[in-house]
Amino acid sequence: MPEAPEPLKKEAIPTAAAPATAAAVEAGPAPGKPRSLWSDAWHDLRRRPMFLISAVIIAVLLVMAAFPGWFTSVSPREADLTANYLREPQLTHFFSPEWLGYNQQGQSIWARMVYGTRASIIIGVAVTAIVLVLGGLVGMLAGYFGGWIDAVLSRVVDIFLGIPFLLGTMVVLVSFDTRTEWTVIMALAFLGWTTIARVMRGSVIAIKQADYVAAARSLGAGTWRILLRHILPNALAPVIVVAMVALGGYITAEAVLSFLGIGLTEPAISWGGDINRGQERIRVAEHILLYPSLLLSITILSFLMLGDAVRDALDPKLR
């Protein structure tokens, strides 16, 4: 009888675990763990030079506003009558009183620029926070409920939009004899919330038709739970972008009002007020007007750059 063939033996195929490559590390999280919108936006922002530059400048301005004594040891209201404003600024003496020269009252321009940062940052951030809350609430209610609530709130927004922003703010401020930071904040916020309301309304109208909102409603979730837990986090991205761009506009508005003599009054320190006083000597001492104007422009440009970078990161169509 022929011998039965021996059973085939499976040869062991040597396998070695491939080391993790740099490409695998940079691939991000596993397919089962996708990043959220905000984490994905932050991952994109860290790679944008425009965001990094603007964030560094804004961080320096925030530190300057919070701790002005770190940048100058001179009081912005201290007047040295022996200091001549026609004297050339000593640009090599960094952070010293004579670094950027003196104004007509013998006050250090650098010290007034440092302390003026506090007023501009406080007003810009406070107005932005107020309009975010007020405009976001109005827009969210109008967009979610619709019907007569949307009609009434939309007509209120249209009425406020019909009032010129700067002109209306000027009318409000002239009724006050002394105008402090909080007076200017309330006047700007009184007319500045309408844009946020419109953006929030449009975002909520688009999101409330989503499947996850219908699922939450079918499971018995209440109105406020749906608004705060499901609609608001997803409708907030375009509102944040508009608010960041508007923050620079509020700083500009405060400087314009102070330049016209309707904004902050003494003893408050404002870049706009210093620019107003500097125009009187622009032919003989242009540095009195130049340096506060330059710092104001850098501040506004930084917030605009930050808003553009955040907009590009939060909008997938722009990537």
Side-chain angles (χ1 to χ4, degrees):
M1 294 180 63
E3 295 180 357
E6 296 181 359
L8 296 176
K9 296 181 180 179
K10 295 182 180 181
E11 297 181 358
I13 301 175
T15 59
T21 62
V25 174
E26 294 180 357
K33 298 179 180 179
R35 289 195 297 255
S36 64
L37 173 65
W38 297 101
S39 61
D40 191 47
W42 172 244
H43 181 77
D44 182 70
L45 280 174
R46 290 180 300 177
R47 303 173 183 272
R48 293 180 178 270
M50 185 169 63
F51 169 77
L52 297 176
I53 294 173
S54 60
V56 170
I57 295 175
I58 292 173
V60 173
L61 291 172
L62 291 176
V63 174
M64 186 181 296
F67 307 100
W70 291 3
F71 296 85
T72 179
S73 59
V74 180
S75 171
R77 300 181 181 88
E78 179 181 344
D80 184 4
L81 299 180
T82 62
N84 191 347
Y85 67 90
L86 295 176
R87 186 195 310 168
E88 290 293 330
Q90 304 297 320
L91 299 180
T92 57
H93 299 176
F94 297 107
F95 299 162
S96 63
E98 63 272 7
W99 180 34
L100 301 181
Y102 297 90
N103 60 12
Q104 302 94 313
Q105 289 78 31
Q107 298 167 332
S108 172
I109 294 177
W110 169 243
R112 293 189 65 84
M113 287 171 56
V114 170
Y115 281 86
T117 307
R118 174 177 296 180
S120 297
I121 296 297
I122 288 177
I123 290 175
V125 172
V127 173
T128 303
I130 293 174
V131 299
L132 266 177
V133 175
L134 180 59
L137 180 62
V138 172
M140 190 165 56
L141 295 178
Y144 181 78
F145 291 104
W148 67 269
I149 296 179
D150 184 19
V152 171
L153 294 178
S154 296
R155 297 297 76 77
V156 173
V157 172
D158 292 339
I159 292 172
F160 278 86
L161 280 174
I163 304 174
F165 179 66
L166 275 179
L167 181 60
T169 306
M170 291 166 60
V171 172
V172 174
L173 288 175
V174 294
S175 59
F176 296 92
D177 296 331
T178 302
R179 293 175 290 275
T180 62
E181 294 174 354
W182 289 107
T183 306
V184 177
I185 288 171
M186 298 310 297
L188 292 174
F190 179 70
L191 296 173
W193 58 273
T194 51
T195 303
I196 298 293
R198 280 198 162 187
V199 173
M200 177 63 84
R201 175 182 176 273
S203 184
V204 170
I205 289 176
I207 291 175
K208 73 176 184 179
Q209 309 296 334
D211 294 338
Y212 59 84
V213 176
R217 190 180 295 111
S218 64
L219 291 174
T223 299
W224 287 105
R225 181 179 178 83
I226 294 175
L227 284 172
L228 298 179
R229 295 291 299 275
H230 301 283
I231 291 181
L232 181 60
N234 295 283
L236 205 56
V239 179
I240 293 295
V241 173
V242 173
M244 286 188 174
V245 175
L247 198 156
Y250 297 136
I251 295 177
T252 306
E254 181 275 324
V256 171
L257 292 171
S258 298
F259 176 81
L260 296 175
I262 307 173
L264 296 175
T265 56
E266 292 291 343
I269 301 172
S270 170
W271 292 337
D274 289 348
I275 294 172
N276 182 23
R277 287 183 288 272
Q279 68 174 344
E280 302 172 359
R281 299 290 187 273
I282 188 172
R283 293 183 180 273
V284 294
E286 64 279 357
H287 63 276
I288 301 177
L289 180 145
L290 176 63
Y291 295 123
S293 302
L294 183 61
L295 184 56
L296 175 63
S297 300
I298 292 174
T299 302
I300 296 171
L301 180 61
S302 299
F303 282 106
L304 293 179
M305 290 171 56
L306 182 66
D308 288 342
V310 173
R311 179 199 62 191
D312 295 344
L314 291 176
D315 191 349
K317 298 178 181 178
L318 298 177
R319 296 178 185 173

